[in-house]
């Protein structure tokens, strides 16, 4: 068994505890501390309209400012947070911080564009979510139209249940997008029946879009289907001007990726938004 004596002090009482399990326990213990000490921060990645090159949205992405390990990316702690259930608490903090920040920037006259937040499965199926979000919107004063929740295809597998949950959420006035679209178990059934505003095409389809005709065909099909269903399409992982132009020629609505901007700390995003009378567009895009 493992005993945790505060700090980073662990005592192993049995050798069958494998390294992975210990690492998980360590990370969960540290995350509880990190939540108390406010070590998590949000970075924001702008989303650009492909037609105009203007910033029309942003995604909030969590990072852990670890006292020893520096800035830790979400891939290294979200899985442990999901497994332990800590994601519920962390996720609530993310939603509240994103709403608070967006409202603050609106008050400063810097923007009137929505912020997107990732939801994990544990959060989505935890039935206090709707009332929690409602409370956060009231507390921060953010109009619900400025909050978008990103879910993944796997969360819609049980269509009946997803439909009920999404109905509750959209009745609040927030909107829903499908993240990493194309990588999960897609069913056309859910697309027809769920209140989804936007599809985010996974970056694996975007990477070789100019070289691989199969990727281009899939992207074209997603865009055409989405538009027929009155949904908007965002391409993820756009890294070059050529990819952006290619996607624009396919009538993709928006892009998010290093070509536009990497995820930025709030201070840097604020600078970017202040630059051009709060309507910043990509330089040399057209
Ligand atoms: P995601 O929601 O698909 O977010 C996009 C990820 O792609 C981000 O990684 C972003 O930095 C990265 N990215 C953006 N543009 C490019 C590009 O042009 N090229 C490449 N190669 N990558 C790009 P990040 O920030 O490390 O986040 C990874 C994942 O962690 C996210 O994927 C999301 O699933 C999860 N995540 C992040 N924040 C949260 C959160 O607050 N809650 C939950 N539940 N999950 C989160
Ligand atoms: Mg996302
Ligand atoms: Mg995701
Ligand atoms: Mg994604």
């Amino acid at each position: 068994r493992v005993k945790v004596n505060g700090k980073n002090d662990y005592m192993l009482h049995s050798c069958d505890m494998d390294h992975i399990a210990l690492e998980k326990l360590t990370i969960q213990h540290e995350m509880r501390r990190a939540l108390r000490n406010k070590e998590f921060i949000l970075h924001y990645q702008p989303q650009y309209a492909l037609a105009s090159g203007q910033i029309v949205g942003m995604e909030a992405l969590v990072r852990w400012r670890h006292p020893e390990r520096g800035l830790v990316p979400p891939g290294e702690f979200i899985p442990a947070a999901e497994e332990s259930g800590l994601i519920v608490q962390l996720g609530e903090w993310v939603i509240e911080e994103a709403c608070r920040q967006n409202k603050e920037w609106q008050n400063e006259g810097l923007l009137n564009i929505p912020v997107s937040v990732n939801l994990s499965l544990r959060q989505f199926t935890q039935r206090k979510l709707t009332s929690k979000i409602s409370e956060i919107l009231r507390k921060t004063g953010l109009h619900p139209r400025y909050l978008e929740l990103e879910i993944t295809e796997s969360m819609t597998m049980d269509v009946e249940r997803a439909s009920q949950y999404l109905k509750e959420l959209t009745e609040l006035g927030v909107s829903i997008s499908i993240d990493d679209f194309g990588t999960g178990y897609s069913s056309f059934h859910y697309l027809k029946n769920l209140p989804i505003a936007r599809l985010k095409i996974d970056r694996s389809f975007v990477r070789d879009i100019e070289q691989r005709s199969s990727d281009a065909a899939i992207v074209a099909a997603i865009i055409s289907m989405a538009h027929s269903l009155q949904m908007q399409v965002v391409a993820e992982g756009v890294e070059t001007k050529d990819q952006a132009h290619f996607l624009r020629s396919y009538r993709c609505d928006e892009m998010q990726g290093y070509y536009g901007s990497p995820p930025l700390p709030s201070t840097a995003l604020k600078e970017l938004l202040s630059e051009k009378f709060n309507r910043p567009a990509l330089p040399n895009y057209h």
Side-chain angles (χ1 to χ4, degrees):
R1 295 288 127 77
V2 171
K3 259 192 195 156
V4 178
N5 301 340
K7 300 264 168 167
N8 290 334
D9 199 356
Y10 297 88
M11 298 197 316
L12 280 176
H13 290 292
S14 134
C15 340
D16 64 359
M17 189 68 149
D18 72 318
H19 181 67
I20 306 283
L22 177 61
E23 211 164 64
K24 265 183 196 153
L25 214 81
T26 310
I27 210 171
Q28 287 169 18
H29 171 65
E30 284 203 18
M31 281 183 67
R32 286 204 179 81
R33 185 213 63 214
L35 272 165
R36 282 195 305 273
N37 295 353
K38 306 197 189 314
E39 290 173 14
F40 294 101
I41 56 160
L42 295 184
H43 281 189
Y44 296 91
Q45 186 172 35
Q47 297 166 336
Y48 295 81
L50 278 156
S52 64
Q54 286 178 341
I55 296 179
V56 289
M58 63 179 82
E59 177 173 10
L61 295 157
V62 71
R63 273 99 182 84
W64 181 356
R65 223 166 15 187
H66 193 281
E68 287 115 43
R69 290 197 283 152
L71 203 62
V72 184
E76 290 178 30
F77 61 86
I78 292 283
E82 271 167 357
E83 205 169 311
S84 62
L86 273 175
I87 192 71
V88 174
Q89 231 184 309
L90 176 61
E92 267 169 39
W93 177 83
V94 169
I95 298 170
E96 179 161 346
E97 175 60 14
C99 290
R100 186 200 64 73
Q101 184 66 265
N102 192 284
K103 180 66 181 178
E104 184 182 302
W105 283 332
Q106 288 192 40
N107 288 344
E108 294 173 19
L110 281 169
L111 56 79
N112 53 352
I113 57 175
V115 62
S116 310
V117 171
N118 293 282
L119 286 188
S120 80
L121 180 65
R122 283 282 271 264
Q123 272 180 291
F124 185 57
T125 53
Q126 183 244 6
R127 280 304 77 214
K128 287 195 191 105
L129 182 66
T130 310
S131 59
K132 269 283 173 333
I133 291 180
S134 163
E135 190 187 316
I136 288 171
L137 291 168
R138 189 185 45 72
K139 192 166 145 190
T140 59
L142 187 75
H143 191 288
R145 83 160 75 99
Y146 294 108
L147 179 63
E148 178 180 79
L149 304 171
E150 297 190 1
I151 64 171
T152 54
E153 287 161 290
S154 58
M155 299 186 202
T156 64
M157 294 248 279
D158 182 344
V159 176
E160 293 287 293
R161 199 164 68 153
S163 164
Q164 176 56 37
Y165 293 176
L166 291 179
K167 185 166 172 279
E168 281 178 35
L169 288 167
T170 50
E171 275 170 3
L172 288 179
V174 305
S175 67
I176 307 293
S177 67
I178 305 288
D179 200 2
D180 309 334
F181 186 76
T183 58
Y185 294 94
S186 298
S187 135
F188 293 114
H189 180 57
Y190 87 78
L191 284 178
K192 188 183 81 177
N193 289 296
L194 300 179
I196 293 153
R198 305 206 299 170
L199 296 183
K200 299 185 74 178
I201 301 180
D202 189 70
R203 68 166 181 264
S204 58
F205 299 104
V206 173
R207 194 181 48 226
D208 303 319
I209 196 168
E210 299 152 283
Q211 293 82 35
R212 290 178 51 168
S213 56
S214 54
D215 284 341
I218 289 168
V219 168
I222 294 173
I223 293 168
S224 144
M225 175 192 66
H227 286 168
S228 310
L229 295 169
Q230 324 300 327
M231 296 172 191
Q232 301 270 102
V233 184
V234 186
E236 298 195 83
V238 177
E239 296 185 354
T240 68
K241 187 176 182 170
D242 287 345
Q243 287 170 341
H245 284 175
F246 196 90
L247 287 156
R248 187 177 58 182
S249 74
Y250 277 75
R251 303 278 178 271
C252 184
D253 303 284
E254 295 171 26
M255 66 168 168
Q256 181 180 338
Y258 298 159
Y259 171 59
S261 165
L264 298 170
S266 56
T267 46
L269 184 75
K270 187 175 166 170
E271 267 169 43
L272 186 66
L273 293 167
S274 318
E275 263 170 30
K276 295 193 178 160
F277 312 105
N278 106 53
R279 307 193 74 194
L282 279 174
N284 310 317
Y285 168 60
H286 289 283

